[in-house]
């Protein structure tokens, strides 16, 4: 295994069936530990049908399937966890209180130390650092902290696993060197998965 595990995130999907061959190609090119499933808004029955189409390809290979922002549906359909995006209106504490340990719980925290520490305090199983989401205010006369430096600090100081949402393949080495536990390639991964060769 490489120094970092891989955590693939789908685009926001309206047609899961059309995405299945793209997903299969990506899983083959860069086998992940988990897949984050992002679904466009639809009635619950339609969402359930979409999840059921993707489950055999993901969970059938012992890959964790994590659903974005829908904890109740994740539990109902047998997903392995839920990932709270910046658009989620509740808190990690609320999700943990309501669902206990039935779901793995991840939280997108942007580039914010405060949000990451709060997610840990509220029961998250991992935090996901990336460009989207809250940013920590720099101290007076200080430049904002780079995302790589933030990931490195977190991985040195905290035990809670860190996912690095990496914007392009050119930045892979710096996040691997920073000690990220998981690499989440940007959406461009699906067009050219061979470009995202994640190595130590």
């Amino acid at each position: 295994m490489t120094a970092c595990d891989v955590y693939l995130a789908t685009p926001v999907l309206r047609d899961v069936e059309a995405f299945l061959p793209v997903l299969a190609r990506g899983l083959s090119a860069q086998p992940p530990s988990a897949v984050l499933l992002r679904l466009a808004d639809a009635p619950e029955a339609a969402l359930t049908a979409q999840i059921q189409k993707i489950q055999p390809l993901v969970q059938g290979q012992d890959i964790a399937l994590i659903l974005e922002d829908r904890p109740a549906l994740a539990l109902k359909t047998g997903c392995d966890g839920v990932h709270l995006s910046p658009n989620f209106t509740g808190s990690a504490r609320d999700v943990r209180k309501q669902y206990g340990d039935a779901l793995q719980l991840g939280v997108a925290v942007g580039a914010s130390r405060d949000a990451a520490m709060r997610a840990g305090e509220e029961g998250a199983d991992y935090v996901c650092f990336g460009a989207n989401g809250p940013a920590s205010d720099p101290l007076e006369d200080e430049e904002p902290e780079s995302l790589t430096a933030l990931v490195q600090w977190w991985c040195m100081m905290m035990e809670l696993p860190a996912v690095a949402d990496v914007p392009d393949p050119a930045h892979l080495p710096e996040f691997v060197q920073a000690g990220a536990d998981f690499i989440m390639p940007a959406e461009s991964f699906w067009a050219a998965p061979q470009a995202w060769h994640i190595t130590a």
Side-chain angles (χ1 to χ4, degrees):
M1 193 63 196
T2 61
C4 301
D5 285 341
V6 180
Y7 186 172
L8 297 179
T10 73
V12 177
L13 300 177
R14 293 187 179 278
D15 187 348
V16 165
E17 191 164 359
F19 185 72
L20 289 178
V22 179
L23 176 61
R25 185 169 66 248
L27 296 180
S28 177
Q30 190 66 75
S33 296
V35 170
L36 172 59
L37 178 58
R38 292 171 165 148
L39 296 175
D41 288 338
E44 183 174 310
L47 293 173
T48 298
Q50 292 180 65
I51 293 166
Q52 290 172 340
K53 287 178 181 178
I54 213 166
Q55 282 175 315
L57 185 56
V58 177
Q59 293 175 311
Q61 299 187 55
D62 291 326
I63 299 167
L65 182 61
I66 311 297
L67 187 62
E68 185 172 71
D69 288 346
R70 295 178 170 97
L73 188 59
L75 185 63
K76 180 179 178 180
T77 56
C79 291
D80 299 289
V82 64
H83 176 96
L84 308 183
S85 78
N87 297 321
F88 188 74
T89 55
S91 69
R93 177 178 285 112
D94 294 338
V95 173
R96 182 60 81 198
K97 182 177 180 180
Q98 185 167 359
Y99 300 98
D101 294 326
L103 294 169
Q104 296 177 38
L105 176 58
V107 180
V109 296
S112 172
R113 290 189 184 200
D114 294 339
M117 289 189 284
R118 184 168 60 252
E121 292 169 355
E122 292 183 352
D125 292 308
Y126 69 84
V127 292
C128 181
F129 293 101
N132 295 323
S136 291
D137 293 328
L139 298 176
E140 188 174 356
D141 299 326
E142 282 191 0
E143 292 295 321
E145 185 174 34
S146 74
L147 190 61
T148 310
L150 175 57
V151 170
Q152 185 174 35
W153 170 83
W154 181 268
C155 293
M156 289 177 60
M157 302 298 295
M158 306 294 180
E159 294 184 3
L160 194 66
V163 177
D165 189 344
V166 180
D168 60 70
H171 290 88
L172 276 174
E174 62 193 71
F175 283 101
V176 172
Q177 188 173 6
D181 299 285
F182 296 87
I183 293 293
M184 180 182 283
E187 191 172 317
S188 62
F189 167 86
W190 300 106
Q194 68 279 0
W196 292 83
H197 185 56
I198 300 170
T199 58

